Amino acid sequence: MHELPVMREVLEVVLKHARKHRVEQVHAVQMRVGEMSDLEEEWMQRYFDHLSKGTVAEGAKLKIERVPAAMECRSCGHRFNLDLTSRERIACPRCTSRDCLLISGREYTIVNLEAV
Ligand SMILES: [Zn+2]
């Protein structure tokens, strides 16, 4: 259940931000989550609900946007988005090298808070 420590961290950031801006109630938390991340939205929301009880973020809805994973070709330096629907092996669309690195896609970021 790796969503739990992640959501604890997210809530901490949310509450810190809420305090700083004297927010009374957080309605929604917009997040971006990399497509390669194995965080599940349902569990994220469930843990968030649990952790945020009694705080200004109680009842806030997580709005999660999945962002495509980015790859970088080690042969030519070309950057491209990973197509997860493709069953072919990953190869650089420019030089067809298979020597590619995942440079993003597992990260999560808080984009915005909707609050009163
Ligand atoms: Zn390449």
Side-chain angles (χ1 to χ4, degrees), residues 81-107:
N81 286 343
L82 182 60
D83 181 8
L84 290 177
T85 57
S86 164
R87 286 179 170 271
E88 283 170 46
R89 278 189 61 195
I90 298 160
C92 173
R94 191 152 82 182
C95 72
T96 69
S97 163
R98 295 196 192 280
D99 191 10
C100 301
L101 274 179
L102 185 72
I103 52 172
S104 73
R106 291 188 193 278
E107 73 289 344

